[in-house]
Amino acid sequence: MNEILKALPKKAKEKEAANKKFFTKLKKKPPKQLDYLMQELHEAEFERTDCLECANCCKTTGPLFTDSDIQRIAKHLRLKPQQFIRTYLRLDEENDYVLQQVPCTFLGADNYCSIYDVRPKACKEFPHTDRKKFQQISHLTLKNVSICPAAFNIVEKMKARIKI
């Protein structure tokens, strides 16, 4: 997995122009069955991919924390929401709550998340490759292919299956 993660940013960079072109066309004219195809590709990829072997998303990026994420996680940690915010979060340039630092504070050495059952919505949905109206989040997907080997593989398979 280490070799894959080491090579991923370079591979993603090499595919970036083709991916941008593909997603621009996809946005203009998404196929009727796109959501079904993405669900199929997502499920097939995650049959082969074990996130616990990787956890690159937790090591290199931080999720956005919604108000409900903050409430839920603070309650789980037996903290007041403001205490949770002060201890773990900061406001980014877009005024969203994000982690103060990466790798994620809640990620263990074994790649397990100590708050997995109450993790933020953004973590639960990552890499967002099974989202409805997938074509609307192409900017996010372009970013995620350089972070997540599974997202990279899903996009490559999607390009092979959808001829635009």
Side-chain angles (χ1 to χ4, degrees):
M1 182 54 72
N2 284 342
E3 289 91 44
I4 292 169
L5 291 176
K6 214 167 153 181
L8 188 61
K10 185 177 183 232
K11 283 174 62 177
K13 192 75 177 152
E14 289 168 359
K15 304 274 185 179
E16 187 176 28
N19 286 349
K20 279 184 180 176
K21 188 176 175 184
F22 177 82
F23 280 117
T24 299
K25 289 180 181 179
L26 188 69
K27 241 182 183 173
K28 287 180 184 163
K29 197 169 190 297
K32 280 190 170 92
Q33 302 298 315
L34 181 62
D35 288 343
Y36 295 107
L37 173 64
M38 293 313 298
Q39 189 72 44
E40 179 189 316
L41 293 173
H42 178 90
E43 286 173 11
E45 182 61 34
F46 283 99
E47 297 262 327
R48 293 185 296 276
T49 301
D50 180 1
C51 293
L52 291 173
E53 288 179 17
C54 179
N56 199 42
C57 52
C58 307
K59 293 172 184 172
T60 61
T61 61
L64 296 180
F65 285 75
T66 65
D67 289 338
S68 58
D69 291 333
I70 292 167
Q71 299 292 325
R72 185 178 61 257
I73 297 166
K75 182 179 178 184
H76 175 78
L77 296 174
R78 295 188 170 99
L79 297 172
K80 291 190 181 330
Q82 281 307 318
Q83 215 178 345
F84 174 74
I85 290 168
R86 254 192 324 278
T87 307
Y88 299 104
L89 305 179
R90 67 176 175 83
L91 281 172
D92 70 3
E93 49 286 335
E94 292 166 9
N95 249 6
D96 292 316
Y97 280 111
V98 296
L99 290 169
Q100 289 177 7
Q101 63 190 37
V102 289
C104 180
T105 309
F106 304 107
L107 181 68
D110 57 0
N111 287 345
Y112 277 86
C113 174
S114 64
I115 61 165
Y116 187 80
D117 292 337
V118 294
R119 69 194 183 281
K121 182 177 185 257
C123 297
K124 197 177 290 187
E125 294 177 354
F126 191 85
H128 312 286
T129 47
D130 60 345
R131 283 266 276 298
K132 298 252 187 280
K133 297 185 180 170
F134 175 79
Q135 74 279 5
Q136 294 177 351
I137 59 157
S138 57
H139 64 286
L140 189 58
T141 304
L142 285 168
K143 189 176 139 192
N144 290 344
V145 295
S146 65
I147 298 165
C148 176
F152 181 91
N153 293 340
I154 290 167
V155 168
E156 290 306 301
K157 286 183 176 69
M158 178 180 73
K159 291 187 312 190
R161 295 265 301 266
I162 300 172
K163 300 298 178 202
I164 299 179

